[in-house]
């Protein structure tokens, strides 16, 4: 137990250092926030234009679509802050700067994770929270306590799923040193895919995003519960499993990463 | 009981064979061929507490592979390593508490933050008690002159300053063993001297065992009494530096300044290497002749106004060994 | 003639380089396919069973999406902008300025090479397969194909000039992160790359027609699905020529200012 407390303390110390390092570049920091808000607003605008004429996408109207999108952005925001640098593990290994984590008396996964705390991603929160407020008003979502709790669970689950995926991609670096590329070519497009209701995609895609790479649990399934939408092919309660799916997925990802690490220790690079 | 005990250490890597051409690329996707590379072959040595050992060899000899295994980063294919009573790759965290590492070219410090913050973070990571931390910081600041740049961000430090900070950081938690990988690379002459002084101080004051890999022969000569030389993954030499010199460096150069210019100098027990006006360079094998033998022969025909006897530098001895490999016969050394 | 040979040498070199890193190049296809799937599904769902909307049939719209993704891939196959910006940040750009060629042209010709490799070995085969398996409305007359290729090429040039001009702002602004995002989004939206201009609200559509971006994707796409036909095609291509000239002029102006800055300040 004391070990966990120790680690938590250490995490905040390390992370604090990372934040202070970022604040050294104040202009860049602000630009990033502006950029993120702008980029997401851009997608929202695109959605608006899309539905200007067509009114509905797979039975989701504009506000519902926006909500779906904002939910993904919110949990992704936390993900960026905590895990985004995992995708660059290949760069660390190639430059030889990863070994430093192995020479210290703390868990290397923990150490690597605590090295960066990208607070610039705060822009995402600004966007999401504004959207939530706007949408809740527009389509009259009643935020009772149960719903809020559910939302929290969904966010945590979303963080764990997306974080877990970043960890998986990171682990690739231990085998082939091409993790960053894998992120941009696979995870980035897939994230875009799940900004829209999964119901519009072929059955195969829906199945994959539910049971293989559980993106569906990040926003689609929970949003469907909150907004009371149909989820064809899936039980309407599936959204409730988000936190559980998140935990399981992340734990598996962690073990795969540690497996990759032991492979790295026996095979070099 | 030796503090580091290495027995029959062996490390093999499987390297994927790279096929050329389009057909080759397709083939390699279907059927990956591997070539086994033996980076470290049956190396054994033991190091006592407080020793300062130079671990040297040409690039690709297996130096960094051995060091990685000693620090717990890499798992050996065969053989055993015991560092301070534990097996490094089995008890990585425990081992980490006992060792300090300095990677010459890559810093262990936090790049964007003031130097002092890196020390504070390392204090947390290694759980250094407050009192000990203060003590160490004072000692290091004194000897290394850290005070002048503790508040400067690491990225703004000069190379010399950064290396000083790195070595202090590696000793903050009072490790028993210090691994130094190219600690003086890129430093100017003065900085190198300071660095070497510090390493000697630490070794003397705290009985820290130092293992030093370097290409700078002066480092070796000035710091280490013992040298382990490896090449192609195998141990080629393990012993006193002085012994290396005497075993491999039997040639001497006698430099004489003579009064008479233009009078030919004939030396039967040596070889006239070059002449510049009054100065002559004569090489001789000290096993066959002593310096005084050569000198007395010269004085028969010339008056000597000044003389020096030069020993071969460790550098040329070692480059000789690198080039020609280790053979059982003694190899004459060109000076 | 020598200058032509010099620049085509860049094209050849870029082609060989892409061939050397062919696996990297081909993995980009994965991303392209995922986005293609995404947009096709979105439009299919938007139509929700309707046969046509605003006079555009579903098949035509899906064809629009496919062609647009094809052109997006082609436009994305050149030197990424951040490479140039890195060179500016590190000061390496000064090395380029010391050489006897025109830097913007050099990168353009290099891009031709990378694009050619990507197209020939990955894009075209994939999309040919797509045409066989998916029900799309392809142009019937070979004239339309030719006009499409011309239009697409002009769109590439417009995109190149605008993107490079924008990228050069790094010379002045060290950090362009946020502005970049706004820029890319605007271009992507107003170029009609994912939503054709006909589906825009009236005021936005009018606004977009006065911008050069529509020349990058919308015009070639629309020509392909024959939504622009007859003499309108030549008018549209004329508009593209106009924008190529304008954006190229602006590029040259900004480039001169930027390179002067390097020469005077040293980067």
């Amino acid at each position: 137990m004391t070990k966990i407390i120790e680690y938590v303390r250490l995490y905040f110390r390390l992370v604090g250092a990372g934040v202070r390092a970022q604040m050294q570049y104040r202009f860049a920091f602000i630009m990033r926030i502006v950029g993120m808000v702008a980029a997401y607003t851009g997608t929202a605008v695109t959605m608006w234009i899309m539905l200007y004429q067509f009114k509905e996408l797979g039975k989701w109207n504009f506000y519902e679509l926006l909500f779906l999108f904002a939910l993904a952005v919110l949990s992704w925001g936390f993900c960026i802050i905590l895990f985004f640098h995992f995708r660059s593990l290949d760069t660390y290994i190639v430059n030889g700067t990863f070994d430093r984590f192995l020479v210290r008396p703390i868990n290397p996964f923990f150490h690597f994770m605590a090295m960066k705390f990208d607070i610039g991603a705060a822009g995402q929160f600004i966007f999401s929270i504004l959207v939530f407020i706007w949408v809740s008003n527009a389509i009259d979502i009643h935020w009772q306590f149960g719903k809020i709790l559910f939302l929290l669970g969904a966010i945590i689950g979303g963080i764990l799923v997306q974080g877990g995926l970043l960890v998986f991609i990171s682990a690739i670096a231990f085998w082939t040193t091409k993790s960053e590329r894998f992120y941009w070519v696979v995870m980035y497009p897939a994230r875009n895919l799940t900004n829209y209701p999964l119901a519009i995609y072929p059955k195969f895609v829906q199945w994959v995003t539910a049971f293989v790479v559980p993106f569906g649990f990040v926003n689609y399934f929970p949003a469907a519960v909150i907004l009371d939408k149909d989820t064809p092919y899936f039980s309407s309660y599936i959204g409730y499993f988000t936190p559980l799916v998140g935990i399981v997925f992340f734990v598996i990802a962690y073990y795969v990463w540690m497996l990759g690490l032991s492979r790295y220790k026996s095979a070099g690079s | 009981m030796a503090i580091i005990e290495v027995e029959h250490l062996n490390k093999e890597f499987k390297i994927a064979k790279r096929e050329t051409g389009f057909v080759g690329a397709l083939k390699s996707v279907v059927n990956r061929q591997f070539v086994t590379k033996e980076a470290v072959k049956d190396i054994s040595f033991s190091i006592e507490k407080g020793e300062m050992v130079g671990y040297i060899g040409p690039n690709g000899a297996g130096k960094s592979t051995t060091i990685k295994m000693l620090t717990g980063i890499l798992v050996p294919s065969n053989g055993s390593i015991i560092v301070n009573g534990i097996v490094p790759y089995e008890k990585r965290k425990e081992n980490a508490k006992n060792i300090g590492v300095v990677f010459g070219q890559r810093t262990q410090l936090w790049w964007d933050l003031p130097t002092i913050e890196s020390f504070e973070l390392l204090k947390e990571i290694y759980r250094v008690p407050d009192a000990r931390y203060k003590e160490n910081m004072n000692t290091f600041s004194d000897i290394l002159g850290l005070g002048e740049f503790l508040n400067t961000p690491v990225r703004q430090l000069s190379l010399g300053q950064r290396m000083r900070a790195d070595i202090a950081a590696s000793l903050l938690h009072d490790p028993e063993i210090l691994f130094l990988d190219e600690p003086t690379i890129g430093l100017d002459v003065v900085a190198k001297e300071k660095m070497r002084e510090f390493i000697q101080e630490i070794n003397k004051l705290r009985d820290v065992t130092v293992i030093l890999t370097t290409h700078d022969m002066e480092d070796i000569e000035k710091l280490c009494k013992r040298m382990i030389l490896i090449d192609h993954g195998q141990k080629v030499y393990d012993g006193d530096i002085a012994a290396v010199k005497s075993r491999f460096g039997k040639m001497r150069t006698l430099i004489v300044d003579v009064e008479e210019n233009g009078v030919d100098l004939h030396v039967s027990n040596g070889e006239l290497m070059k002449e510049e006006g009054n100065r002559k360079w004569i090489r001789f094998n000290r096993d066959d002749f002593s310096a005084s033998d050569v000198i007395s022969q010269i004085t028969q025909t010339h008056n000597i106004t000044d003389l020096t006897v030069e020993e071969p530098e460790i550098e040329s001895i070692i480059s000789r060994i690198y080039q020609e490999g280790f053979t059982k016969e003694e190899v004459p050394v060109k000076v | 003639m020598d200058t032509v040979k010099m620049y085509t040498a860049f094209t050849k070199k870029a082609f060989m380089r892409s061939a050397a890193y062919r696996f990297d190049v081909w993995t980009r296809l994965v991303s392209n396919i995922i986005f293609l799937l995404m947009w096709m599904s979105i439009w299919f769902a938007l139509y929700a069973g309707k046969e046509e909307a605003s006079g555009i049939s579903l098949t035509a719209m899906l064809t629009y999406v496919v062609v647009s993704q094809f052109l997006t891939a082609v436009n994305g196959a050149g030197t990424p902008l951040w490479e140039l910006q890195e060179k500016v940040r590190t000061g390496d750009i000064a090395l380029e300025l010391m050489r006897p060629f025109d830097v913007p042209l050099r990168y353009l010709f290099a891009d031709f090479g990378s694009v050619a490799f990507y197209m020939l070995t990955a894009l075209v085969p994939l999309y040919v397969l797509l045409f066989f398996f998916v029900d799309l409305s392809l142009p019937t007359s070979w004239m339309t194909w030719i006009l499409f290729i011309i239009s697409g090429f002009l769109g590439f040039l417009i995109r190149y000039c605008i993107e490079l001009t924008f990228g050069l702002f790094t010379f002045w602004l060290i950090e362009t992160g946020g502005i970049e995002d706004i820029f890319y989004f605007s271009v992507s939206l107003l170029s009609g790359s994912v939503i054709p201009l006909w589906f825009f609200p009236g005021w936005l559509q009018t606004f977009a027609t006065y911008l050069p971006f529509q020349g990058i994707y919308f015009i070639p796409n629309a020509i392909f699905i024959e939504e622009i036909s007859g003499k309108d095609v030549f008018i549209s291509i004329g508009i593209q020529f106009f924008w190529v000239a304008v954006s190229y002029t602006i590029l040259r102006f900004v480039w001169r200012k930027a390179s002067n800055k390097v020469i005077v300040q040293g980067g």
Side-chain angles (χ1 to χ4, degrees), chain A residues 31 35 38 42 49 53 181 185 201, chain C residues 24 27 54 178 182 185 199 204:
Chain A
M31 284 311 275
I49 295 180
Q53 175 134 21
R181 183 149 198 98
V185 166
Y201 298 115
Chain C
D24 275 1
T27 46
S54 287
I182 301 179
F185 149 68
F199 292 128
L204 194 61

Side-chain angles (χ1 to χ4, degrees), chain A residues 6 9-10 13-14 17 20-21 24-25 95-96 99 102-106 108 115 265-268, chain B residues 11 13 68 73-75 92-93 96-97 101 106-108 110 112-113 117 121-122 124 126-127 155:
Chain A
E6 273 297 322
R9 254 193 72 225
L10 191 56
R13 281 298 257 110
L14 288 169
R20 269 170 298 148
Q24 301 264 329
Y25 305 99
N95 288 342
D99 285 343
L102 299 179
V103 172
R104 300 217 177 114
I106 51 181
M115 278 315 280
K265 292 211 286 198
S266 46
Chain B
K11 182 65 189 164
F13 289 113
K68 281 189 180 169
I73 296 178
L74 210 54
V75 177
R92 192 195 60 83
K93 279 189 225 160
K97 291 188 200 152
V101 189
R106 302 183 293 269
T107 183
Q108 295 232 25
W110 276 254
D112 292 305
L113 294 174
E117 298 214 26
L121 285 167
L122 287 170
E124 296 284 331
Y126 284 96
R127 318 250 212 102
R155 72 174 188 277

Side-chain angles (χ1 to χ4, degrees), chain C residues 33-92:
Chain C
I33 293 175
I34 296 181
F35 276 110
L36 182 62
L37 173 69
M38 177 176 116
W39 285 109
M40 287 189 76
S41 307
I42 289 178
W43 280 103
F44 195 79
L46 282 175
Y47 267 66
K50 290 202 290 245
E51 266 309 308
E52 58 102 69
S54 287
I56 320 289
S57 75
L58 177 61
T59 325
M61 189 56 224
L62 289 178
T63 315
Y64 185 98
V65 169
V66 172
V67 171
S68 193
Q69 276 303 118
F70 179 81
L71 287 178
T72 307
V74 170
N75 274 283
T79 324
L81 201 59
W82 58 259
E83 259 188 45
L84 184 76
Q85 293 173 319
E86 240 340 89
K87 286 214 169 109
V88 173
R89 261 176 227 130
T90 56
D92 281 351

Side-chain angles (χ1 to χ4, degrees), chain B residues 53-106:
Chain B
V53 179
Y55 197 72
I56 57 183
N59 286 328
K63 292 194 307 288
S64 32
T65 311
T66 318
I67 301 293
K68 281 189 180 169
M69 289 192 276
L70 287 169
T71 51
I73 296 178
L74 210 54
V75 177
S77 312
N78 253 316
S80 81
I81 306 182
I82 304 193
V83 175
N84 211 6
I86 50 182
V87 181
Y89 54 90
E90 276 176 14
K91 295 221 175 95
R92 192 195 60 83
K93 279 189 225 160
E94 253 197 80
N95 187 49
K97 291 188 200 152
N98 289 330
I99 64 174
V101 189
V102 176
F103 297 114
Q105 281 150 330
R106 302 183 293 269

Side-chain angles (χ1 to χ4, degrees), chain A residues 57-109:
Chain A
L57 175 63
K59 303 225 177 60
W60 290 60
N61 68 34
F62 172 63
Y63 293 106
E64 294 167 338
L65 212 56
L66 212 54
F67 183 84
L68 179 68
F69 179 52
L71 185 54
V73 167
L74 186 59
S75 58
W76 179 241
F78 281 108
C79 218
I80 292 188
I81 293 181
L82 299 169
F83 300 112
F84 201 37
H85 56 290
F86 268 80
R87 82 195 186 289
S88 312
L89 182 59
D90 53 359
T91 311
Y92 281 87
I93 290 181
V94 164
N95 288 342
T97 42
F98 182 67
D99 285 343
R100 134 169 53 141
F101 300 117
L102 299 179
V103 172
R104 300 217 177 114
I106 51 181
N107 179 309
F109 181 90

